């Protein structure tokens, strides 16, 4: 073969290869489009419908009893809201398998109808603009338990190794309306929330925020918790079990604090082992992003009957995570227990303080928390280890969905995990593209400081990148976030 035909063959091969790749991508995208058929249920759950945008929640007051024997919960949630558009009808969400007993407004029962997981509440008169209102939804039922195929989302009526009750829940993407009535859309966080949990007296309850009071009756206890800060719906949670606590002092430039680890009372040694690293993670993230946003409540990690979750001020660390599983992480021997713990703690900045306002943008939670793990590796083990881990995580990317899904449908961008790994690698690539790590970290810090306690979407992040760098990264980021490859 002469050099001309070699060149021709090479050009043809390149052309053919890219044609195959484009064709593959197109058919992949078509499959993606085909599979994404949205229903009325998706819109009711995920859209900012007029019956939702007409009101703004400012406070929830949730009071429930938990009955482990019957596996039911019940009680009420008071929804305090401001009227943003005059209306005689609002939408509140509660899964269809949960029974609504009554809805009370100004001491009178209201009429309501239910479609899928939405409740439409009718008021006798139009509620005036900017007025402050309150409805109390009484309900009960057996909340959804995790499917066998998805040991992640739902209500856990578990037992500890001594056969005692160990109860908890997690519901990222599933939504808090699977267990209590609320306006289940990420764009509307209450400014604060009280949670009153009544349960058998032998158990202890950990929840979000600060513990205000414990009432004890002969057979039952009620714990009263208060989240002083805005909280997104899926972060609201509680843990019931036979918990003990370890506390470590923590000091930063603004004062002295405590970090608490709640664990099952027979796990003290294991808890001690991995808890000792937690202050290091917190210090690292405070230096990088800004001060921990919930010191006015607490910083706690809690042993949970499921893998992990970023529950605000009481992040879950699962017992299912064994030492062997940690060995899959490159840095396990240098920083034991370093994967799930820092991931969930990083969410206090990314996901909890700065929260996405639609599930389509949830890479702002998961990509950022996953990238925080990589930054911790870089800080502890150096640049080479960091780059090695970046390449390892690249192999986990499925390239099945775009990182950003469709808005207003409660998109399940979790199903292939790309919001984690691809999300993290997009941050890595942005840092490389910017070329100066100090500028890149200034972007992250500004994004946190500007939007803490608020909800955001990806455009807010892109605008921050462009503002801080004084350059245009819109196309760079949109190509990576909206295209499958
Ligand atoms: Zn996460």
């Amino acid at each position: 073969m002469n050099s001309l035909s070699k060149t021709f063959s090479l050009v043809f091969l390149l052309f053919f290869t890219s044609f195959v790749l484009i064709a593959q991508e197109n058919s992949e995208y078509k499959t993606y489009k085909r599979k994404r058929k949205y229903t009325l249920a998706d819109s009711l759950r995920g859209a900012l419908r007029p019956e939702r945008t007409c009101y703004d929640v400012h406070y929830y007051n949730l009071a429930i009893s938990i009955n482990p024997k019957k596996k039911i919960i019940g009680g009420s949630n008071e929804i305090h809201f401001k009227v943003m558009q005059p209306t005689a009808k609002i939408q509140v969400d509660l899964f269809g398998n949960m029974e609504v007993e009554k809805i009370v407004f100004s001491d009178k029962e209201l009429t309501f109808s239910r479609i899928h997981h939405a409740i439409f509440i009718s008021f006798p008169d139009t509620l005036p603009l900017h007025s402050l209102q309150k409805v109390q939804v009484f309900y009960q039922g057996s909340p959804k338990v995790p499917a066998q195929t998805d040991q992640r989302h739902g209500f856990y009526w578990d037992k500890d190794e001594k056969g005692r009750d160990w109860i908890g829940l997690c519901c990222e993407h599933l939504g808090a309306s699977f267990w209590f009535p609320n306006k289940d859309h990420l764009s509307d966080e209450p400014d604060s929330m009280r949670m009153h949990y009544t349960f058998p007296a032998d158990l202890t309850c950990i929840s979000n925020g600060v513990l205000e009071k414990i009432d004890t009756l002969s057979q039952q206890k009620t714990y009263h918790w208060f989240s002083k800060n805005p909280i997104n719906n899926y972060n609201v949670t509680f843990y019931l079990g036979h918990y003990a606590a370890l506390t470590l002092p923590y000091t930063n430039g603004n004062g002295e604090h405590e970090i608490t680890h709640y664990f099952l009372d027979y796990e003290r040694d294991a808890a001690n082992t991995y808890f000792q690293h937690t202050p290091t993670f917190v210090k690292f993230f405070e230096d990088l992003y800004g001060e921990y946003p919930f010191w006015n409540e607490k910083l706690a990690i809690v042993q949970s009957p499921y893998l992990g979750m970023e529950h605000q001020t009481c992040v879950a660390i699962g017992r299912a995570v064994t030492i062997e599983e940690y060995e899959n992480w490159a840095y396990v021997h240098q920083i034991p227990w370093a994967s799930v713990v820092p991931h969930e703690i990083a969410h206090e900045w990314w996901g909890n303080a700065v929260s996405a306002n639609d599930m389509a943008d949830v890479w702002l939670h998961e990509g950022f928390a996953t990238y925080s793990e990589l930054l911790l590796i870089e800080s502890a083990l150096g640049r080479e280890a960091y780059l090695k881990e970046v390449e390892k995580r690249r192999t986990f990317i499925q390239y099945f969905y775009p990182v950003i899904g469709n808005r207003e449908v409660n998109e399940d961008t979790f199903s292939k995990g790309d919001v984690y790994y691809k999300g993290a690698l997009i941050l890595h690539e942005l840092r490389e593209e910017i070329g100066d790590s100090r500028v890149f970290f200034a972007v992250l810090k500004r994004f946190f400081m500007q939007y803490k306690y608020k909800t955001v979407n990806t455009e807010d992040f892109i605008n921050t990148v462009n503002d801080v760098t004084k350059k245009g990264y819109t196309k760079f980021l949109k190509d990576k976030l909206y295209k499958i490859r």
Side-chain angles (χ1 to χ4, degrees), residues 65-74 98 140-143 155 157:
S65 291
I66 299 119
N67 186 331
K69 278 210 178 82
K70 294 186 175 167
K71 294 191 169 54
I72 57 169
I73 64 170
M98 303 294 279
Q140 61 123 16
S142 277
F155 214 91
W157 301 98

Side-chain angles (χ1 to χ4, degrees), residues 152 172 309-310 343-344 347 365-366 369-370 373 414 420:
R152 190 172 162 81
E172 187 179 19
M309 186 53 67
E310 56 261 34
H343 178 98
E344 302 306 346
H347 272 306
H365 301 193
E366 299 305 348
T370 305
E373 297 170 42
F414 291 91
Y420 295 83

Side-chain angles (χ1 to χ4, degrees), residues 82-87 125-133:
K82 186 175 182 178
V83 178
M84 305 309 287
Q85 286 292 329
T87 186
D125 298 301
T126 298
L127 303 175
L129 182 68
H130 294 158
S131 59
L132 298 177
Q133 306 290 347

Side-chain angles (χ1 to χ4, degrees), residues 106-120:
S106 300
D107 297 324
K108 291 193 183 67
E109 280 192 38
L110 293 177
T111 57
F112 60 90
S113 59
R114 303 185 74 177
I115 307 172
H116 297 291
H117 298 334
I119 309 168
F120 290 96

